[in-house]
Amino acid sequence: MANFFGSRSNPKKFAASQIKFYALLIPLSLFMLLPVVFIINQAFKPMDELYRFPPTFIVQRPTTLNFQYIFGIADASGVPLIRYLVNSFIVTAITVTSSIFLTAMTAYAFSKKKFRARAWLFRINQAALMFVPIAVAVPRYLVIINTGMENTYWAHILPLLAMPVGLFLVKQFVDQVPDEILEAARIDGAGEIAVMFRIVFPQIGPALATVGILCFQVVWNAVESSNIYVIDETLKTFAFYLNTFAVDQNPAMAGMAAAAGFIMFMPNLIIFIALQSRVMNTMSHSGIK
């Protein structure tokens, strides 16, 4: 009986019973792709198409002038565009790597170690989920200034290292790792470092990949540090440079703002597509105990 129902509801090959699912999912997928198509088309529209009424969804005469203007203005300002890109790559790489490592280590400690105030500390992390970044802007500014980290890469990195939502998510995965496996490894002579890197971390890979994506999105698009903590133009990020076109009210900047949005969006899309299977595994297993 189980095989009978399983073969009909979830066949291994295409069956007529699946048509109703495709009829629903394909239009829904196309509808969800519309924002992506719109961003791409906007970036390649010439100025007359950007202000055409009624507006067009698909670009009629694609052009790369918007991108050429972005690169040209950067070179004319005295700071080459490659400098902003290098700053963003350095900040993003260090922050994402460090955030994943710290999140994994902290989640392991909360899940598998017994120490005083463990419950209270984790409750503090849960309480931090309620606060938006603007709520801690003043304390964050005081920390950066009083520690002398203004006008350094650390002003970009330190405020974004902690991810309460990432810690909460990864801890749920570490909870699912059987304690018996860890005890067996310790009996065989493995130290805590070996237990974490050889047993725990490989099993929570999907959760760590999800944390990496979330952290990348935050860091890659962050402009707060460049606006507040960094005065030296050569230390500001690519997101800050592109954001200047988005906030400029000059109609002539509309094309460059569209191109800037495209440039900022594409790395997020590429990384999500590359790691989407791990993200789906995280969402499907995060509640399993």
Side-chain angles (χ1 to χ4, degrees):
M1 183 65 68
N3 291 335
F4 173 75
F5 283 109
S7 62
R8 294 189 60 186
S9 62
N10 191 25
K12 294 182 179 180
K13 298 181 180 180
F14 178 78
S17 61
Q18 294 179 318
I19 295 178
K20 57 182 178 293
F21 299 111
Y22 285 105
L24 173 64
L25 295 177
I26 291 177
L28 182 61
S29 300
L30 294 176
F31 178 77
M32 297 182 68
L33 281 174
L34 289 179
V36 178
V37 176
F38 177 78
I39 291 174
I40 296 173
N41 280 270
Q42 282 290 103
F44 292 94
K45 282 184 179 180
M47 192 64 64
D48 59 333
E49 289 191 36
L50 286 170
Y51 288 99
R52 179 178 297 176
F53 186 84
T56 59
F57 193 83
I58 303 297
V59 58
Q60 305 296 320
R61 294 178 291 106
T63 179
T64 59
L65 285 178
N66 296 328
F67 298 93
Q68 295 176 25
Y69 290 149
I70 288 178
F71 284 83
I73 291 177
D75 294 337
S77 67
V79 181
L81 188 65
I82 190 66
R83 181 64 187 181
Y84 293 109
L85 280 171
V86 169
N87 291 340
S88 285
F89 286 140
I90 292 175
V91 170
T92 302
I94 294 176
T95 307
V96 172
T97 304
S98 301
S99 181
I100 291 175
F101 179 76
L102 291 175
T103 299
M105 297 281 285
T106 307
Y108 175 78
F110 275 124
S111 178
K112 301 300 181 183
K113 294 298 179 181
K114 307 296 183 181
F115 54 90
R116 289 184 178 181
R118 183 182 68 163
W120 282 103
L121 289 173
F122 191 68
R123 290 192 186 101
I124 292 174
N125 179 80
Q126 291 175 297
L129 296 173
M130 299 185 296
F131 294 94
V132 294
I134 193 65
V136 294
V138 174
R140 183 179 292 177
Y141 174 81
L142 294 176
V143 171
I144 296 296
I145 297 301
N146 291 331
T147 55
M149 289 188 290
E150 70 272 17
N151 270 332
T152 66
Y153 282 126
W154 289 111
H156 295 289
I157 297 170
L158 185 64
L160 302 177
L161 276 180
M163 285 192 63
V165 64
L167 175 58
F168 180 81
L169 178 65
V170 174
K171 181 185 177 299
Q172 311 311 311
F173 266 69
V174 180
D175 287 343
Q176 299 174 37
V177 178
D179 293 335
E180 292 78 8
I181 297 179
L182 306 184
E183 289 299 328
R186 295 188 184 101
I187 292 173
D188 289 339
E192 289 300 323
I193 300 298
V195 169
M196 286 187 293
F197 281 91
R198 295 183 181 181
I199 299 177
V200 178
F201 291 176
Q203 296 190 50
I204 62 173
L208 297 181
T210 302
V211 170
I213 292 176
L214 296 176
C215 185
F216 177 87
Q217 291 176 339
V218 172
V219 178
W220 179 253
N221 296 291
V223 297
E224 177 186 0
S225 296
S226 295
N227 279 326
I228 302 175
Y229 314 128
V230 177
I231 300 176
D232 188 349
E233 196 71 24
T234 61
L235 292 176
K236 296 187 176 183
T237 60
F238 190 56
F240 168 82
Y241 171 70
L242 295 183
N243 191 63
T244 59
F245 301 112
V247 300
D248 198 316
Q249 300 300 319
N250 188 347
M253 294 290 187
M256 286 181 283
F262 171 81
I263 295 173
M264 294 303 298
F265 170 74
M266 288 308 295
N268 293 283
L269 179 64
I270 293 171
I271 288 181
F272 180 80
I273 292 175
L275 300 177
Q276 60 88 22
S277 61
R278 289 182 174 269
V279 175
M280 293 302 105
N281 287 338
T282 302
M283 299 306 152
S284 61
H285 290 90
S286 59
I288 298 177
K289 298 294 181 184

